[in-house]
Amino acid sequence: MFSHKFICGSLTKMTETGITFDPPVYEQRYCATIQIMEDARWKDQIKKVVEFGCAEMRFFQLMRRIETIEHIGLVDIDKSLLMRNLTSVNPLVSDYIRSRASPLKVQIMQGNVADSSEELRDTDAVIAIELIEHVYDDVLAKIPVNIFGFMQPKLVVFSTPNSDFNVIFTRFNPLLPNGFRHEDHKFEWSRDEFKNWCLGIVEKYPNYMFSLTGVGNPPKEYESVGHVSQIAIFVRKDMLEMQLVNPLVSNPNIDRESTPYKLLHAVEYPFYVDTRTEKEKLWTEVEMELQRFKRHFKSSEIEEDTYQDTCIMPIAVLLDRLEHVGATKELIEELLLENNLKVENECVLIVNSDEESEWSEPYEFSNRSSQDAALVDQEREEECWDQEPES
């Protein structure tokens, strides 16, 4: 097995009347899954992701922000639920103002997690958050066949309730008449049962390794019950720089008993490909800083009722502002010389005139970065996805 450590902070508080989790457990699951997907060992190789049991597509709003992902398939068997939430995956106005750096295609499909379908080919990562406990045994038996046999992804994440934790919940409220936390649960596994299921998968599909973890920490003095929600991370061995036991199956056959998926909605996000050289990008940043310095200089003149023909900006100041984009003193001086700007005593001389500079305003050179701060609050208002779902 391999290890994975979460950095999401959480707090569990139990009193005489109940138990609370901060943040809520569903948010902890989302945070943990995003961290797994962004693990440096495989992040850059995850281009296509399929989420089974996507429901209201809340997790999509986080997943879509991973810039390396270029294709997301959202699958659920409940067509009416998908139809009610189709538009939630459409780009926002802010996505057109601040485009992605890579393409993103999103497909919403009605389908069964147990069925193989053309749309699932070439998937790099599979996500199934709190899904498997909702399916009957016949479907559960086919899930590994479809995911590990047909899809053969690089990364798979399952989460499911930990029944060992129910002893804590029943201190305050009884379980439902079916004996579980939710009326639609067909089972809830203990940690040993979940581990045995995972062991069975890697025994049948030895190209994979798995690691067990979880979210929703137990209260103090009850650590023996484990997490509220347990998580299994399956990783294909070549992602861990290990030899595959068996060669990958090229173009695997679709099970004849499978029902093809039905595409309900598809959308492509706007993206911007910056074709400039690194040197051209740096010159844009230099121009922006020179303009800012010039405007500040002119405003100071107005306040002091003085006027000078030239403002002088030390190259050291310019370098300090641009080191974060890879600037060096030598490269800055080279760019200034190439663009006919005068340099004296390690300072750049900027002609101060009432006429418009030959340089454009900064936002014309950086239509991506100059909008960032203004859009953060707007996006938070428009994307109210994090309403608390069922536990």
Side-chain angles (χ1 to χ4, degrees):
M1 294 174 65
F2 63 96
S3 62
H4 184 94
K5 189 173 183 179
F6 296 133
I7 58 173
C8 292
S10 64
L11 176 65
T12 301
K13 183 177 180 181
M14 187 169 72
T15 65
E16 294 182 356
T17 58
I19 185 170
T20 58
F21 303 92
D22 185 22
V25 176
Y26 80 94
E27 288 188 8
Q28 294 185 42
R29 283 194 291 263
Y30 290 170
C31 177
T33 306
I34 290 295
Q35 286 191 28
I36 294 168
M37 297 174 69
E38 292 188 318
D39 190 302
R41 288 173 287 185
W42 48 74
K43 175 183 177 181
D44 291 340
Q45 299 191 58
I46 304 299
K47 302 297 182 183
K48 180 179 178 180
V49 181
V50 170
E51 182 190 4
F52 289 114
C54 62
E56 298 91 351
M57 291 165 269
R58 292 187 178 98
F59 181 64
F60 165 79
Q61 302 298 343
L62 293 175
M63 183 164 49
R64 78 182 187 91
R65 299 186 180 279
I66 302 178
E67 288 277 346
T68 50
I69 296 176
E70 298 182 355
H71 189 168
I72 297 176
L74 301 169
V75 180
D76 203 286
I77 199 167
D78 189 337
K79 182 178 179 180
S80 62
L81 179 61
L82 294 175
M83 295 300 294
R84 290 197 301 270
N85 293 277
L86 284 185
T87 58
S88 65
V89 305
N90 291 343
L92 303 173
V93 173
S94 58
D95 291 309
Y96 290 91
I97 298 173
R98 187 186 62 198
S99 302
R100 288 171 51 94
S102 60
L104 175 62
K105 180 180 181 180
V106 183
Q107 293 178 304
I108 299 177
M109 296 170 285
Q110 180 192 14
N112 190 321
V113 62
D115 289 338
S116 52
S117 187
E118 284 292 337
E119 295 83 357
L120 303 181
R121 293 190 188 277
D122 303 317
T123 296
D124 298 309
V126 170
I127 307 298
I129 300 174
E130 305 294 287
L131 168 69
I132 58 175
E133 66 275 8
H134 290 272
V135 304
Y136 290 104
D137 288 346
D138 58 335
V139 174
L140 182 65
K142 294 179 180 179
I143 287 177
V145 179
N146 186 33
I147 294 178
F148 298 96
F150 176 74
M151 299 175 71
Q152 307 172 96
K154 299 163 183 170
L155 173 71
V156 182
V157 179
F158 290 106
S159 78
T160 192
N162 168 26
S163 65
D164 293 334
F165 200 96
N166 289 349
V167 67
I168 302 295
F169 287 137
T170 54
R171 292 169 61 93
F172 312 104
N173 293 293
L175 297 173
L176 297 180
N178 65 358
F180 304 127
R181 302 179 195 175
H182 189 273
E183 60 185 9
D184 188 53
H185 286 183
K186 309 303 187 292
F187 61 85
E188 289 177 1
W189 277 337
S190 67
R191 285 166 292 171
D192 285 342
E193 290 172 316
F194 190 40
K195 181 179 180 179
N196 287 335
W197 183 71
C198 296
L199 286 170
I201 290 175
V202 296
E203 181 178 355
K204 186 175 181 180
Y205 302 98
N207 280 344
Y208 290 87
M209 299 181 69
F210 76 95
S211 178
L212 295 174
T213 182
V215 293
N217 292 327
K220 290 182 179 179
E221 300 180 5
Y222 291 89
E223 288 83 358
S224 62
V225 302
H227 297 92
V228 175
S229 186
Q230 49 190 338
I231 297 174
I233 309 167
F234 289 85
V235 177
R236 212 172 66 196
K237 289 181 178 179
D238 52 335
M239 295 297 98
L240 301 171
E241 299 182 348
M242 298 174 64
Q243 186 82 24
L244 291 178
V245 176
N246 299 315
L248 297 176
V249 179
S250 177
N251 196 30
N253 295 324
I254 293 176
D255 189 335
R256 287 179 293 179
E257 297 181 359
S258 292
T259 301
Y261 285 13
K262 183 178 180 180
L263 179 64
L264 302 180
H265 184 59
V267 63
E268 295 190 10
Y269 273 61
F271 68 99
Y272 169 74
V273 178
D274 194 343
T275 59
R276 296 174 300 165
T277 65
E278 293 303 315
K279 198 171 181 180
E280 288 171 335
K281 293 176 185 177
L282 180 56
W283 173 239
T284 295
E285 299 294 331
V286 171
E287 287 183 302
M288 292 170 64
E289 294 302 333
L290 294 176
Q291 284 282 17
R292 291 193 182 106
F293 188 86
K294 181 179 176 180
R295 284 198 299 271
H296 178 73
F297 182 81
K298 291 180 70 173
S299 64
S300 299
E301 286 185 325
I302 293 172
E303 291 177 3
E304 299 175 7
D305 195 23
T306 60
Y307 181 82
Q308 297 182 36
D309 292 333
T310 304
C311 56
I312 301 173
M313 182 179 190
I315 291 179
V317 173
L318 194 54
L319 179 60
D320 184 62
R321 296 181 181 182
L322 296 177
E323 275 186 324
H324 70 285
V325 293
T328 64
K329 180 182 177 183
E330 293 75 16
L331 189 51
I332 289 176
E333 290 177 342
E334 180 182 338
L335 286 169
L336 294 172
L337 181 62
E338 289 178 359
N339 289 276
N340 301 316
L341 288 177
K342 192 173 183 180
V343 177
E344 289 183 0
N345 299 322
E346 297 196 345
C347 294
V348 56
L349 307 184
I350 309 171
V351 176
N352 191 8
S353 67
D354 293 330
E355 298 179 1
E356 283 294 320
S357 168
E358 62 182 2
W359 307 316
S360 300
E361 290 297 315
Y363 60 78
E364 294 180 11
F365 287 95
S366 186
N367 64 343
R368 290 173 58 81
S369 61
S370 63
Q371 305 293 335
D372 287 357
L375 291 173
V376 171
D377 291 336
Q378 175 186 340
E379 290 181 354
R380 287 174 179 165
E381 293 176 4
E382 292 181 350
E383 298 180 10
C384 297
W385 55 269
D386 55 343
Q387 302 300 313
E388 184 171 357
E390 64 191 30
S391 61

